[in-house]
Amino acid sequence: MQTRFYLAPIAAVLCGQFGAHANTTTQQNLAEQNQDTIVVTGTREAQSKQDVAESISLLSQQALENIGASHPAEALNRLAGVHINNLGGEGHMSSIRQPITTSAVYLFLEDGLPIRPTGFFNHNALYEINMPQAGRLEVVKGPGSALYGSDAIGGVINVLTAAAPQQTLLKTNLELGKNDWQRLLVSFGDKINKQHAGKLDINLTDNQGFRDAADYSRYSVTARVDSNLSDNLSVKTLLTASDIQQSGTSDLSESLYKARSTFNAYHGDIGYREVSALRFSSDISWYVNEQTLVSAVPYYRNNSMQMMPSWMITYDPNIRDYQFESYGLMLKYRQHVNQGTVIVGLDTDVTPSDYVEEQISLTKQDDIYTDYSRTGQFNYDFSATQTSISPYLHTEWDLTDNWRLTAGVRYDSFEVDYTDNLTAQAEDTSHLRPQSQTKSYQHTSPKFSLLYRLAADHTAYFNYRNAFVAPSIGSLFRPGSSQGSENLQPTEADSFELGLRGQLAKDWLYELAVYDLQKSNDIVSVISGSDRIVTNAGESRHLGFEAAIQGKLTDEWSLSTSIAITNQYYQDFAYLFQCFSPACGGFKKENRNYAGFKVGKAPAEMANLTVKYQPTWLQGFSSELEVEHLGEYFTDETNTQTYDGHTLVNWRNHYQINANWQVYLRIINLTDKLYSVYTSNQVGNPNLGYRPGTPRSIYVGATWQF
C-alpha cells in the first residue's frame, strides 16, 4: 500500500446537475411537498412516493449531514430491511432481502447511472461514491424497475449528488476522531453566468483503523455543472473521481476475537487494495412540450484496482490487477398521454477490460504475515470486452381515480469477447483457463404493479418484479479448479410484494411491506467424478416483513423506528462439502444438498430505533440516541453454528452556534460492545472466523458555512 496522505488542499475541475429529469415547473411544485415523499429512482424523474408501487426508503441531504457517517453503514442501517456491515475503512457487505453477501445482487447508482457495468460488481463499491456530501439517498428494496438491468435483485442504492447552488456557497467541515481519524469536507458552488451554475465537493479522509496495521485513506472529488440552456433544454454535467487505499485485515479465531480484537495477522502491504475510480456523464434533457421529454446520458467510466485478496492469503496468495473502461449511452423518451405515461428507452454499454493475476510468496513471523515477493508466475492474464444492448418499456396508467397500473419489460443482451493471453503457458489444475472465445447471453425482465389509494393519506400496492444477475467476467473466465464456468447463465429472481404506506395524524408517517422473493438458477459447485463443476442449479426463497414509522412525540421529541423480519431458506442447493476434521475420519469430499436448510449469514431480524431531542430552551441544539440491532444467523449452509447477533448504541449531538458555525460530537458504539460484523466458517470446518466491529469511537467536528 502506498504512503498514507494527510489532509491537505487539492484542486479539481468541472461539474454537473440532478439525476432526475424534472423541468423547472415540476421541481417547484414538488419542492412545495414534503421532501420525504419525493423519489426519482423508479423512472429517473421526480415523482411522489405515493405514486410508486415499490418499497423505497429515503435519506435527505440534511439527514445525511446530521448522521455524519464515517462509513456507509451508519446511514443506511437506519432504513427498514437494510443492513450494511463495516469491514474496515469503507469496505462492506450488504444484506437487503438477501443474506450478508459479496454476491452481485445489488445495484449501486450515482444519479441513476450504475457506477460499475454489468459483470464488474464489487461488494465494496459504495466507497467509490462520495456519500458524506451527497444531496440525497434512495434505496429501492427488491428488484428495480424496468429501467434497470442486472444485479438489482436484493435492492438498488441510488446516491444523488447535490445540485449546484444559485448563489455563492462555501462550506468546510473538519472532523477528528479516535485512531487518528481525520476528515476534511469542502464544498464550493456558485452561479457561473445566467445559464450555468457549478458545484465542487472534496472529501479527504485518513485514519489508522482500530486494528493493528489497518490504515485507510481516500480522496474524492465531485464536480457538477447545472445548465439551463433554454426553457426546454437543460444539461447536467457530472465528474466524480475517487482514490482509495486500504490495508488488509484478517478474520480472528474465537479466542483472539474475545481476548484481543485489535489483532491483525496482515501487516505491511499484506491484503491491501488500491482503487481508482473515475466517472464522467452529461445528462441532456429536452422538454419538447409539457407532455414529451427526450433525454440522453452519454457517459465514460475508468476503474482500476490492484489488490491482494485477503481471503486467499493462506491457500493461494496472489496479486490482481483489474482495469476497465466503459463507453455508454442511456436514451429515454417519455410521453404523457391521457391517464398515463409511456417511457421507452435504450441503454448501450461497451466495456473493454484486462485482468492479470500473479502468484506471490509470503513471509511470516510467528502468527503475522509481514511481507511478500512476486514470483513472475501468472495464474491468469486475459482481456474481455463486454457489449450490452438493453431496450426497455415502462408504462403507468391511472385506471380510475383510485387505481394505478404500472407495467414494463426490459430485454438485456450481452456479448463478451474473451482472449486468454497466456496461451503459451501450461495451465494447472488449480487455475484452469478457458480457451479464447466469444460468449453471449440474454434475459427478459417483466415488471407489473397495482396501486390503490385507500384515502388521501393511505396507499396500498402489489407488485411483481423479475430480476437477474449476469455472470461476472471473473466467474466466467477465472474458474479456479472448477470446470464449465464459461457456460454459466444469469441467475434469476421473481419477487412478489404487498405494501401499505401513509400518514397517521399530522406528523406520523408509516410503511409496511411483505415480500416473497424466489431465486433460481443460482451458481453452485459439485463434484462429477474427479472434476469440480460449476453450474446454474441453486434455488432459494427469501420471505420477509418490513415496517417503518417516524414522527413527532412532542414539540421537542421525535422518533424514528424500523424493523425487518426474514425467513430465508434453500429450496434446492447443491454444495461441495469438504471436511478436514478428524471427526470426518480424515479428509472427506462429497456432494450434499441443503434443501430446506436456512440460508447462511441471513439475519433473522434487523431493527433500528432513533429518538431525537431538540429543546426549545436551547435553539440550534439537538441530541439523538440510536439503537441498532442485528439478529441471529447461521454461519454456514449446514446450520450447525450460529452468531447470536448484537445490539449497538450510538449518540449524536449538534449545536448550531450561529448562521456560520456548527459544532458536533458523535459516539459510535457508546457502550463499547464487543461484536462481530461477519461471522462465518467454511462448510466442513467447525472453526468460526470473526470480523470484529468498531469499538467505542468518538468524533468531534466543526462546520463553517458562508
Side-chain angles (χ1 to χ4, degrees), residues 318-323 353-359 374 376-385 417-428 431-437 473-474 477-480:
N318 63 80
I319 286 180
R320 303 174 175 184
D321 282 284
Y322 302 82
Q323 185 170 2
S353 66
D354 296 288
Y355 178 84
V356 178
E357 179 178 309
E358 182 181 0
Q359 295 177 15
R374 293 178 178 266
Q377 180 67 28
F378 293 92
N379 297 330
Y380 296 96
D381 182 349
F382 63 77
S383 302
T385 298
D417 185 5
Y418 156 79
T419 302
D420 176 20
N421 299 322
L422 290 179
T423 53
Q425 177 182 305
E427 67 180 12
D428 64 82
H431 306 97
L432 301 178
R433 303 196 314 269
Q435 295 181 349
S436 299
Q437 58 190 282
I473 299 300
F477 305 120
R478 193 214 169 277

Short mmCIF file of all heavy atoms in Angstrom, two decimals, residues 318-323 353-359 374 376-385 417-428 431-437 473-474 477-480:
data_model
loop_
_atom_site.label_atom_id
_atom_site.label_comp_id
_atom_site.label_asym_id
_atom_site.label_seq_id
_atom_site.Cartn_x
_atom_site.Cartn_y
_atom_site.Cartn_z
N ASN A 318 -1.96 -14.22 -4.07
CA ASN A 318 -1.73 -13.64 -5.38
C ASN A 318 -1.98 -12.14 -5.33
O ASN A 318 -2.58 -11.62 -4.38
CB ASN A 318 -2.61 -14.30 -6.45
CG ASN A 318 -4.10 -14.08 -6.20
OD1 ASN A 318 -4.65 -13.02 -6.50
ND2 ASN A 318 -4.76 -15.08 -5.63
N ILE A 319 -1.52 -11.46 -6.34
CA ILE A 319 -1.83 -10.04 -6.56
C ILE A 319 -2.58 -9.93 -7.87
O ILE A 319 -2.19 -10.52 -8.88
CB ILE A 319 -0.55 -9.19 -6.59
CG1 ILE A 319 0.03 -9.04 -5.19
CG2 ILE A 319 -0.83 -7.81 -7.18
CD1 ILE A 319 1.28 -8.21 -5.12
N ARG A 320 -3.66 -9.15 -7.85
CA ARG A 320 -4.50 -8.99 -9.03
C ARG A 320 -4.50 -7.54 -9.50
O ARG A 320 -4.55 -6.62 -8.68
CB ARG A 320 -5.95 -9.39 -8.71
CG ARG A 320 -6.09 -10.79 -8.19
CD ARG A 320 -7.52 -11.08 -7.77
NE ARG A 320 -7.67 -12.46 -7.37
CZ ARG A 320 -8.83 -13.01 -7.01
NH1 ARG A 320 -9.93 -12.26 -6.99
NH2 ARG A 320 -8.89 -14.28 -6.67
N ASP A 321 -4.47 -7.38 -10.79
CA ASP A 321 -4.62 -6.06 -11.41
C ASP A 321 -5.86 -6.10 -12.29
O ASP A 321 -5.90 -6.86 -13.27
CB ASP A 321 -3.39 -5.70 -12.25
CG ASP A 321 -2.23 -5.23 -11.42
OD1 ASP A 321 -2.28 -4.09 -10.95
OD2 ASP A 321 -1.28 -6.02 -11.22
N TYR A 322 -6.87 -5.31 -11.91
CA TYR A 322 -8.08 -5.18 -12.73
C TYR A 322 -8.03 -3.80 -13.41
O TYR A 322 -7.57 -2.83 -12.82
CB TYR A 322 -9.35 -5.17 -11.89
CG TYR A 322 -9.64 -6.34 -11.01
CD1 TYR A 322 -9.05 -6.47 -9.75
CD2 TYR A 322 -10.57 -7.29 -11.40
CE1 TYR A 322 -9.37 -7.52 -8.91
CE2 TYR A 322 -10.90 -8.34 -10.56
CZ TYR A 322 -10.30 -8.45 -9.32
OH TYR A 322 -10.63 -9.48 -8.49
N GLN A 323 -8.61 -3.73 -14.58
CA GLN A 323 -8.82 -2.42 -15.19
C GLN A 323 -9.95 -2.53 -16.19
O GLN A 323 -10.04 -3.51 -16.94
CB GLN A 323 -7.55 -1.91 -15.89
CG GLN A 323 -7.70 -0.49 -16.42
CD GLN A 323 -6.38 0.10 -16.89
OE1 GLN A 323 -5.35 -0.56 -16.84
NE2 GLN A 323 -6.42 1.33 -17.35
N SER A 353 -11.86 -4.64 -20.82
CA SER A 353 -11.25 -4.85 -19.51
C SER A 353 -10.03 -5.75 -19.63
O SER A 353 -9.86 -6.49 -20.60
CB SER A 353 -12.26 -5.49 -18.55
OG SER A 353 -12.60 -6.80 -18.97
N ASP A 354 -9.17 -5.67 -18.60
CA ASP A 354 -7.98 -6.51 -18.50
C ASP A 354 -7.87 -7.03 -17.09
O ASP A 354 -8.17 -6.34 -16.12
CB ASP A 354 -6.72 -5.71 -18.85
CG ASP A 354 -6.70 -5.22 -20.28
OD1 ASP A 354 -6.52 -6.05 -21.19
OD2 ASP A 354 -6.88 -4.00 -20.49
N TYR A 355 -7.40 -8.28 -16.98
CA TYR A 355 -7.21 -8.90 -15.67
C TYR A 355 -5.91 -9.69 -15.68
O TYR A 355 -5.67 -10.52 -16.57
CB TYR A 355 -8.37 -9.85 -15.36
CG TYR A 355 -8.24 -10.59 -14.06
CD1 TYR A 355 -8.64 -10.00 -12.86
CD2 TYR A 355 -7.72 -11.88 -14.02
CE1 TYR A 355 -8.52 -10.68 -11.66
CE2 TYR A 355 -7.59 -12.56 -12.82
CZ TYR A 355 -8.00 -11.96 -11.65
OH TYR A 355 -7.87 -12.63 -10.45
N VAL A 356 -5.05 -9.41 -14.69
CA VAL A 356 -3.78 -10.11 -14.55
C VAL A 356 -3.66 -10.58 -13.10
O VAL A 356 -3.90 -9.79 -12.17
CB VAL A 356 -2.58 -9.21 -14.91
CG1 VAL A 356 -1.27 -9.97 -14.70
CG2 VAL A 356 -2.68 -8.71 -16.35
N GLU A 357 -3.31 -11.84 -12.92
CA GLU A 357 -3.15 -12.39 -11.57
C GLU A 357 -1.79 -13.09 -11.47
O GLU A 357 -1.50 -14.02 -12.23
CB GLU A 357 -4.27 -13.38 -11.26
CG GLU A 357 -4.17 -14.01 -9.89
CD GLU A 357 -5.33 -14.95 -9.61
OE1 GLU A 357 -6.49 -14.52 -9.80
OE2 GLU A 357 -5.09 -16.11 -9.23
N GLU A 358 -0.96 -12.64 -10.54
CA GLU A 358 0.38 -13.17 -10.37
C GLU A 358 0.52 -13.85 -9.01
O GLU A 358 0.08 -13.32 -7.99
CB GLU A 358 1.41 -12.04 -10.48
CG GLU A 358 2.85 -12.51 -10.36
CD GLU A 358 3.85 -11.37 -10.46
OE1 GLU A 358 3.40 -10.21 -10.61
OE2 GLU A 358 5.06 -11.63 -10.36
N GLN A 359 1.15 -15.01 -9.00
CA GLN A 359 1.42 -15.70 -7.75
C GLN A 359 2.48 -14.94 -6.95
O GLN A 359 3.38 -14.32 -7.51
CB GLN A 359 1.93 -17.12 -8.02
CG GLN A 359 0.93 -18.02 -8.69
CD GLN A 359 1.51 -19.39 -8.99
OE1 GLN A 359 2.56 -19.77 -8.46
NE2 GLN A 359 0.83 -20.14 -9.85
N ARG A 374 7.05 -11.05 -5.43
CA ARG A 374 6.43 -11.54 -6.66
C ARG A 374 7.25 -12.71 -7.21
O ARG A 374 8.48 -12.73 -7.09
CB ARG A 374 6.35 -10.42 -7.69
CG ARG A 374 5.37 -9.30 -7.30
CD ARG A 374 5.38 -8.20 -8.34
NE ARG A 374 4.44 -7.13 -8.04
CZ ARG A 374 3.20 -7.06 -8.51
NH1 ARG A 374 2.75 -8.01 -9.30
NH2 ARG A 374 2.42 -6.05 -8.20
N GLY A 376 6.73 -13.90 -10.56
CA GLY A 376 6.80 -13.88 -12.02
C GLY A 376 5.98 -14.98 -12.67
O GLY A 376 5.95 -15.10 -13.90
N GLN A 377 5.27 -15.78 -11.87
CA GLN A 377 4.41 -16.84 -12.38
C GLN A 377 2.96 -16.36 -12.36
O GLN A 377 2.46 -15.95 -11.31
CB GLN A 377 4.55 -18.10 -11.53
CG GLN A 377 3.71 -19.28 -11.98
CD GLN A 377 4.16 -19.85 -13.31
OE1 GLN A 377 5.33 -19.75 -13.66
NE2 GLN A 377 3.24 -20.42 -14.07
N PHE A 378 2.29 -16.39 -13.51
CA PHE A 378 0.95 -15.83 -13.63
C PHE A 378 -0.11 -16.94 -13.65
O PHE A 378 0.02 -17.93 -14.38
CB PHE A 378 0.84 -14.97 -14.89
CG PHE A 378 1.69 -13.74 -14.83
CD1 PHE A 378 2.99 -13.75 -15.34
CD2 PHE A 378 1.23 -12.58 -14.24
CE1 PHE A 378 3.79 -12.62 -15.28
CE2 PHE A 378 2.02 -11.45 -14.17
CZ PHE A 378 3.31 -11.47 -14.68
N ASN A 379 -1.14 -16.74 -12.85
CA ASN A 379 -2.29 -17.64 -12.88
C ASN A 379 -3.23 -17.31 -14.03
O ASN A 379 -3.75 -18.20 -14.69
CB ASN A 379 -3.07 -17.54 -11.56
CG ASN A 379 -2.26 -17.97 -10.36
OD1 ASN A 379 -1.39 -18.83 -10.47
ND2 ASN A 379 -2.56 -17.39 -9.20
N TYR A 380 -3.44 -15.99 -14.24
CA TYR A 380 -4.34 -15.53 -15.30
C TYR A 380 -3.82 -14.25 -15.91
O TYR A 380 -3.22 -13.42 -15.22
CB TYR A 380 -5.76 -15.27 -14.76
CG TYR A 380 -6.45 -16.50 -14.24
CD1 TYR A 380 -6.41 -16.81 -12.88
CD2 TYR A 380 -7.13 -17.35 -15.10
CE1 TYR A 380 -7.04 -17.94 -12.39
CE2 TYR A 380 -7.77 -18.49 -14.61
CZ TYR A 380 -7.71 -18.78 -13.26
OH TYR A 380 -8.33 -19.91 -12.79
N ASP A 381 -4.07 -14.11 -17.18
CA ASP A 381 -3.82 -12.86 -17.89
C ASP A 381 -4.77 -12.87 -19.08
O ASP A 381 -4.56 -13.60 -20.06
CB ASP A 381 -2.36 -12.76 -18.36
CG ASP A 381 -2.06 -11.45 -19.08
OD1 ASP A 381 -3.01 -10.70 -19.39
OD2 ASP A 381 -0.87 -11.18 -19.34
N PHE A 382 -5.87 -12.12 -18.98
CA PHE A 382 -6.83 -12.13 -20.08
C PHE A 382 -7.44 -10.76 -20.30
O PHE A 382 -7.40 -9.88 -19.42
CB PHE A 382 -7.93 -13.18 -19.85
CG PHE A 382 -8.81 -12.98 -18.66
CD1 PHE A 382 -9.84 -12.04 -18.66
CD2 PHE A 382 -8.64 -13.76 -17.52
CE1 PHE A 382 -10.66 -11.87 -17.56
CE2 PHE A 382 -9.46 -13.60 -16.41
CZ PHE A 382 -10.47 -12.66 -16.43
N SER A 383 -8.00 -10.59 -21.48
CA SER A 383 -8.75 -9.39 -21.86
C SER A 383 -10.17 -9.81 -22.20
O SER A 383 -10.38 -10.89 -22.76
CB SER A 383 -8.10 -8.69 -23.06
OG SER A 383 -6.76 -8.35 -22.79
N ALA A 384 -11.13 -8.97 -21.86
CA ALA A 384 -12.52 -9.27 -22.17
C ALA A 384 -13.25 -7.97 -22.45
O ALA A 384 -13.19 -7.04 -21.65
CB ALA A 384 -13.19 -10.02 -21.02
N THR A 385 -13.90 -7.91 -23.59
CA THR A 385 -14.72 -6.74 -23.94
C THR A 385 -16.18 -7.16 -23.92
O THR A 385 -16.60 -8.06 -24.65
CB THR A 385 -14.34 -6.20 -25.32
OG1 THR A 385 -12.99 -5.77 -25.31
CG2 THR A 385 -15.24 -5.02 -25.70
N ASP A 417 -16.34 -10.79 -25.59
CA ASP A 417 -15.23 -11.25 -26.42
C ASP A 417 -14.02 -11.43 -25.51
O ASP A 417 -13.42 -10.45 -25.06
CB ASP A 417 -14.96 -10.23 -27.52
CG ASP A 417 -13.90 -10.70 -28.51
OD1 ASP A 417 -13.46 -11.86 -28.40
OD2 ASP A 417 -13.50 -9.90 -29.38
N TYR A 418 -13.66 -12.69 -25.26
CA TYR A 418 -12.62 -13.02 -24.27
C TYR A 418 -11.37 -13.57 -24.96
O TYR A 418 -11.47 -14.41 -25.87
CB TYR A 418 -13.19 -14.05 -23.29
CG TYR A 418 -12.17 -14.91 -22.58
CD1 TYR A 418 -11.44 -14.43 -21.49
CD2 TYR A 418 -11.94 -16.23 -23.00
CE1 TYR A 418 -10.51 -15.23 -20.84
CE2 TYR A 418 -11.02 -17.03 -22.35
CZ TYR A 418 -10.31 -16.53 -21.27
OH TYR A 418 -9.39 -17.32 -20.64
N THR A 419 -10.21 -13.10 -24.52
CA THR A 419 -8.93 -13.56 -25.06
C THR A 419 -8.00 -13.96 -23.93
O THR A 419 -7.70 -13.15 -23.03
CB THR A 419 -8.24 -12.47 -25.90
OG1 THR A 419 -9.11 -12.07 -26.96
CG2 THR A 419 -6.93 -12.98 -26.49
N ASP A 420 -7.56 -15.21 -23.95
CA ASP A 420 -6.56 -15.68 -22.98
C ASP A 420 -5.18 -15.29 -23.48
O ASP A 420 -4.77 -15.69 -24.58
CB ASP A 420 -6.68 -17.20 -22.84
CG ASP A 420 -5.61 -17.79 -21.92
OD1 ASP A 420 -5.04 -17.02 -21.12
OD2 ASP A 420 -5.35 -19.00 -22.03
N ASN A 421 -4.46 -14.48 -22.68
CA ASN A 421 -3.14 -14.01 -23.08
C ASN A 421 -2.01 -14.90 -22.60
O ASN A 421 -0.83 -14.56 -22.76
CB ASN A 421 -2.92 -12.59 -22.56
CG ASN A 421 -3.92 -11.60 -23.11
OD1 ASN A 421 -4.30 -11.67 -24.28
ND2 ASN A 421 -4.40 -10.70 -22.26
N LEU A 422 -2.35 -16.07 -22.02
CA LEU A 422 -1.32 -16.98 -21.52
C LEU A 422 -1.31 -18.30 -22.30
O LEU A 422 -1.02 -19.36 -21.74
CB LEU A 422 -1.56 -17.28 -20.03
CG LEU A 422 -1.32 -16.15 -19.04
CD1 LEU A 422 -1.63 -16.62 -17.62
CD2 LEU A 422 0.12 -15.66 -19.11
N THR A 423 -1.62 -18.23 -23.56
CA THR A 423 -1.74 -19.47 -24.35
C THR A 423 -0.44 -20.27 -24.39
O THR A 423 -0.46 -21.49 -24.55
CB THR A 423 -2.18 -19.13 -25.78
OG1 THR A 423 -1.28 -18.14 -26.32
CG2 THR A 423 -3.59 -18.59 -25.79
N ALA A 424 0.70 -19.59 -24.24
CA ALA A 424 1.98 -20.30 -24.29
C ALA A 424 2.33 -20.96 -22.97
O ALA A 424 3.28 -21.75 -22.89
CB ALA A 424 3.10 -19.33 -24.69
N GLN A 425 1.59 -20.64 -21.91
CA GLN A 425 1.88 -21.19 -20.59
C GLN A 425 0.90 -22.31 -20.27
O GLN A 425 -0.31 -22.17 -20.45
CB GLN A 425 1.78 -20.10 -19.52
CG GLN A 425 2.00 -20.59 -18.09
CD GLN A 425 1.83 -19.48 -17.07
OE1 GLN A 425 2.47 -18.45 -17.15
NE2 GLN A 425 0.92 -19.70 -16.11
N ALA A 426 1.42 -23.42 -19.80
CA ALA A 426 0.56 -24.55 -19.43
C ALA A 426 -0.28 -24.18 -18.22
O ALA A 426 0.19 -23.54 -17.29
CB ALA A 426 1.41 -25.78 -19.13
N GLU A 427 -1.55 -24.61 -18.23
CA GLU A 427 -2.41 -24.33 -17.09
C GLU A 427 -2.22 -25.40 -16.02
O GLU A 427 -1.73 -26.50 -16.30
CB GLU A 427 -3.88 -24.27 -17.52
CG GLU A 427 -4.45 -25.60 -18.00
CD GLU A 427 -5.90 -25.49 -18.42
OE1 GLU A 427 -6.40 -24.36 -18.55
OE2 GLU A 427 -6.53 -26.53 -18.63
N ASP A 428 -2.57 -25.06 -14.79
CA ASP A 428 -2.53 -26.05 -13.72
C ASP A 428 -3.94 -26.31 -13.22
O ASP A 428 -4.86 -25.53 -13.49
CB ASP A 428 -1.61 -25.58 -12.58
CG ASP A 428 -2.13 -24.33 -11.90
OD1 ASP A 428 -3.01 -24.45 -11.03
OD2 ASP A 428 -1.67 -23.22 -12.24
N HIS A 431 -5.84 -23.53 -11.45
CA HIS A 431 -6.10 -22.28 -12.17
C HIS A 431 -6.41 -22.60 -13.62
O HIS A 431 -5.62 -22.30 -14.53
CB HIS A 431 -4.89 -21.33 -12.06
CG HIS A 431 -4.47 -21.06 -10.65
ND1 HIS A 431 -3.44 -21.73 -10.02
CD2 HIS A 431 -4.96 -20.19 -9.72
CE1 HIS A 431 -3.30 -21.28 -8.79
NE2 HIS A 431 -4.21 -20.35 -8.58
N LEU A 432 -7.56 -23.22 -13.83
CA LEU A 432 -7.97 -23.57 -15.19
C LEU A 432 -8.25 -22.31 -15.99
O LEU A 432 -8.73 -21.30 -15.45
CB LEU A 432 -9.21 -24.45 -15.15
CG LEU A 432 -9.07 -25.79 -14.38
CD1 LEU A 432 -10.39 -26.54 -14.37
CD2 LEU A 432 -7.96 -26.65 -14.96
N ARG A 433 -7.96 -22.36 -17.29
CA ARG A 433 -8.15 -21.18 -18.14
C ARG A 433 -8.99 -21.56 -19.35
O ARG A 433 -8.53 -22.36 -20.19
CB ARG A 433 -6.80 -20.62 -18.60
CG ARG A 433 -5.85 -20.23 -17.47
CD ARG A 433 -4.74 -19.33 -17.98
NE ARG A 433 -4.14 -19.80 -19.21
CZ ARG A 433 -3.08 -20.63 -19.28
NH1 ARG A 433 -2.54 -21.09 -18.16
NH2 ARG A 433 -2.60 -20.99 -20.45
N PRO A 434 -10.20 -21.03 -19.47
CA PRO A 434 -10.98 -21.28 -20.69
C PRO A 434 -10.25 -20.78 -21.93
O PRO A 434 -9.47 -19.82 -21.86
CB PRO A 434 -12.27 -20.48 -20.45
CG PRO A 434 -12.34 -20.31 -18.96
CD PRO A 434 -10.92 -20.21 -18.50
N GLN A 435 -10.48 -21.44 -23.04
CA GLN A 435 -9.89 -21.01 -24.30
C GLN A 435 -10.53 -19.70 -24.75
O GLN A 435 -11.66 -19.37 -24.39
CB GLN A 435 -10.09 -22.08 -25.37
CG GLN A 435 -9.36 -23.38 -25.08
CD GLN A 435 -9.57 -24.40 -26.19
OE1 GLN A 435 -10.41 -24.22 -27.08
NE2 GLN A 435 -8.81 -25.48 -26.15
N SER A 436 -9.80 -18.93 -25.55
CA SER A 436 -10.33 -17.68 -26.10
C SER A 436 -11.63 -17.96 -26.85
O SER A 436 -11.73 -18.92 -27.61
CB SER A 436 -9.30 -17.04 -27.03
OG SER A 436 -8.12 -16.73 -26.33
N GLN A 437 -12.63 -17.10 -26.64
CA GLN A 437 -13.95 -17.35 -27.22
C GLN A 437 -14.82 -16.12 -27.09
O GLN A 437 -14.47 -15.15 -26.40
CB GLN A 437 -14.63 -18.52 -26.51
CG GLN A 437 -14.79 -18.30 -25.01
CD GLN A 437 -15.22 -19.55 -24.28
OE1 GLN A 437 -16.40 -19.89 -24.32
NE2 GLN A 437 -14.26 -20.23 -23.64
N ILE A 473 -17.46 -11.28 -15.25
CA ILE A 473 -16.30 -11.64 -16.06
C ILE A 473 -15.41 -12.60 -15.28
O ILE A 473 -14.87 -13.57 -15.83
CB ILE A 473 -15.52 -10.38 -16.47
CG1 ILE A 473 -16.41 -9.44 -17.30
CG2 ILE A 473 -14.27 -10.75 -17.25
CD1 ILE A 473 -16.94 -10.06 -18.57
N GLY A 474 -15.27 -12.37 -13.98
CA GLY A 474 -14.45 -13.24 -13.16
C GLY A 474 -15.00 -14.65 -13.05
O GLY A 474 -14.26 -15.63 -13.14
N PHE A 477 -14.43 -16.50 -16.50
CA PHE A 477 -13.10 -16.76 -17.05
C PHE A 477 -12.00 -16.86 -16.00
O PHE A 477 -10.83 -17.00 -16.37
CB PHE A 477 -12.75 -15.67 -18.07
CG PHE A 477 -13.79 -15.53 -19.15
CD1 PHE A 477 -14.47 -14.33 -19.34
CD2 PHE A 477 -14.12 -16.60 -19.95
CE1 PHE A 477 -15.43 -14.20 -20.33
CE2 PHE A 477 -15.09 -16.49 -20.94
CZ PHE A 477 -15.74 -15.28 -21.14
N ARG A 478 -12.36 -16.81 -14.72
CA ARG A 478 -11.40 -17.12 -13.67
C ARG A 478 -12.01 -18.21 -12.80
O ARG A 478 -12.46 -17.99 -11.68
CB ARG A 478 -11.09 -15.87 -12.83
CG ARG A 478 -9.88 -16.05 -11.93
CD ARG A 478 -9.95 -15.35 -10.61
NE ARG A 478 -8.89 -15.77 -9.73
CZ ARG A 478 -8.92 -16.87 -8.96
NH1 ARG A 478 -9.98 -17.66 -8.99
NH2 ARG A 478 -7.89 -17.18 -8.20
N PRO A 479 -12.05 -19.45 -13.29
CA PRO A 479 -12.80 -20.51 -12.62
C PRO A 479 -12.08 -21.21 -11.49
O PRO A 479 -12.68 -22.02 -10.79
CB PRO A 479 -13.09 -21.50 -13.75
CG PRO A 479 -11.92 -21.35 -14.66
CD PRO A 479 -11.53 -19.90 -14.59
N GLY A 480 -10.76 -20.96 -11.30
CA GLY A 480 -10.03 -21.74 -10.31
C GLY A 480 -9.98 -23.19 -10.73
O GLY A 480 -9.61 -23.51 -11.87
#
